[in-house]
Amino acid sequence: MRKIHVNEIIEAVKTACIEANYNLPKDMLQALESRTTIESNNLGKEILQDICENAYLAQKEAIPICQDTGSAVVFINLGQEVYIEGGLLKDAINEGVRRGYKEGYLRKSIVENPLYRKNTGDNTPAIIHFDIVEGDDFEMVIAPKGGGSENMSKVYMLTPSQGIEGVEAAVLEAVKIAGPNACLPMVVGIGIGGNFEQCTLLAKKALVRSVGSHNPDERMSVLEQELLQKINALGIGPQGLGGDTSALAVHIEDYPCHIASMPLAINIGCHVNRHISVRL
């Protein structure tokens, strides 16, 4: 049995919240730079260059990449041989978020009640997903998620008869509706299968994969690449002002589902698709 004290978790979460908001992930930056060299639209190319410059300045000056520093989404892979001592794991994560958003001068964007809109003042509570795994590993992925791109996400309860064509049509529809509001170029996270709530979690998890990684199922991998080509062929372009680069990647995560259903979720990540992994 391996013991981890909550103080260690608090400090790790605090640091990760700050770093994720200051430093664009390397995979995202590399993808943006790569698209800059091949973007045929002059305005689109300039916008991509500005996005990259903004990321470099944020890192250099230790300031947020974007003014929307997001809701704190946290994925926990908790080894079943790990014992958390000194308090509750959920409380430790929220305390880390609280300290990170205060000490990092990050915008607090969470309201206590969705109807009455009083700000909590510290960006808590975080949105936490727990997964119990083998061994004594403890891994966290912190993914601050901005409101603009999140608002452009969609859930479709398709019928099995709609098949791949139905999935493609729904994804393209969601991207078209999102347009410039998703702060393009985007990363498109897609969850297929499970049920109503499972498909949305799959879509969210898809966003924290490394840009350009592929689903291990070759059929899904081909679909990812086909959708990426079709999305970029729409010509929406960086910031919605035209060009070849509407999306940097399409990532699909899938799960078994009921014979009568084909749940589909599209979770859109903007060009600051932030995520950082921490292992204790």
Side-chain angles (χ1 to χ4, degrees):
M1 181 69 69
R2 177 174 169 234
K3 295 182 180 180
I4 300 177
H5 198 277
V6 292
N7 288 341
E8 188 177 354
I9 296 169
I10 291 170
E11 188 65 24
V13 172
K14 181 195 79 171
T15 301
C17 285
I18 296 171
E19 290 187 358
N21 275 292
Y22 288 3
N23 305 316
L24 192 66
K26 290 182 179 179
D27 58 315
M28 285 292 297
L29 191 53
Q30 290 172 353
L32 286 164
E33 290 175 335
S34 175
R35 292 299 308 190
T36 300
T37 62
I38 61 176
E39 174 59 57
S40 64
N41 181 287
N42 288 334
L43 180 56
K45 185 183 290 289
E46 289 181 15
I47 292 171
L48 289 171
Q49 291 170 342
D50 288 343
I51 289 172
C52 291
E53 182 180 3
N54 176 75
Y56 283 122
L57 284 172
Q59 184 177 33
K60 179 181 178 182
E61 301 294 334
I63 55 176
I65 309 165
C66 176
Q67 52 81 28
D68 183 353
T69 53
S71 55
V73 180
V74 184
F75 294 98
I76 303 290
N77 288 327
L78 176 64
Q80 61 183 0
E81 296 176 23
V82 173
Y83 173 70
I84 307 299
E85 59 180 357
L88 295 176
L89 175 55
K90 182 179 179 180
D91 291 345
I93 293 168
N94 279 311
E95 181 60 27
V97 170
R98 184 177 293 111
R99 295 184 189 183
Y101 274 74
K102 179 181 179 180
E103 296 179 26
Y105 299 98
L106 306 176
R107 195 182 84 183
K108 289 78 174 175
S109 301
I110 301 302
V111 295
E112 290 179 358
N113 183 286
L115 294 180
Y116 302 105
R117 317 302 291 180
K118 181 182 177 182
N119 200 297
T120 63
D122 57 12
N123 222 59
T124 67
I127 298 168
I128 310 170
H129 303 286
F130 296 98
D131 196 6
I132 305 300
V133 298
E134 290 182 333
D136 61 0
D137 283 346
F138 184 93
E139 182 183 17
M140 300 183 290
V141 176
I142 289 84
K145 188 66 167 68
S149 59
E150 188 75 354
N151 288 346
M152 296 297 104
S153 303
K154 301 289 183 184
V155 176
Y156 298 86
M157 297 304 291
L158 302 179
T159 61
S161 63
Q162 289 176 269
I164 294 175
E165 293 79 9
V167 170
E168 290 186 346
V171 171
L172 293 175
E173 178 185 64
V175 169
K176 289 176 184 177
I177 292 172
N181 295 318
C183 288
L184 281 65
M186 65 180 75
V187 176
V188 183
I190 299 173
I192 306 176
N195 58 5
F196 179 78
E197 78 270 15
Q198 179 71 15
C199 70
T200 59
L201 179 56
L202 292 170
K204 182 73 71 180
K205 285 184 174 181
L207 286 183
V208 301
R209 277 174 36 191
S210 295
V211 171
S213 63
H214 299 294
N215 188 296
D217 185 323
E218 185 177 354
R219 298 164 299 180
M220 290 297 185
S221 176
V222 169
L223 182 57
E224 288 174 334
Q225 296 170 63
E226 289 178 350
L227 282 168
L228 179 60
Q229 292 174 358
K230 290 182 178 180
I231 290 170
N232 284 330
L234 294 173
I236 304 171
Q239 295 300 299
L241 296 175
D244 310 318
T245 311
S246 301
L248 299 174
V250 173
H251 294 158
I252 298 174
E253 294 294 313
D254 59 282
Y255 196 86
C257 68
H258 192 280
I259 57 172
S261 303
M262 192 162 68
L264 170 69
I266 299 108
N267 194 209
I268 294 177
C270 67
H271 68 265
V272 289
N273 185 40
R274 296 161 290 198
H275 52 274
I276 186 170
S277 178
V278 179
R279 190 182 296 273
L280 298 180

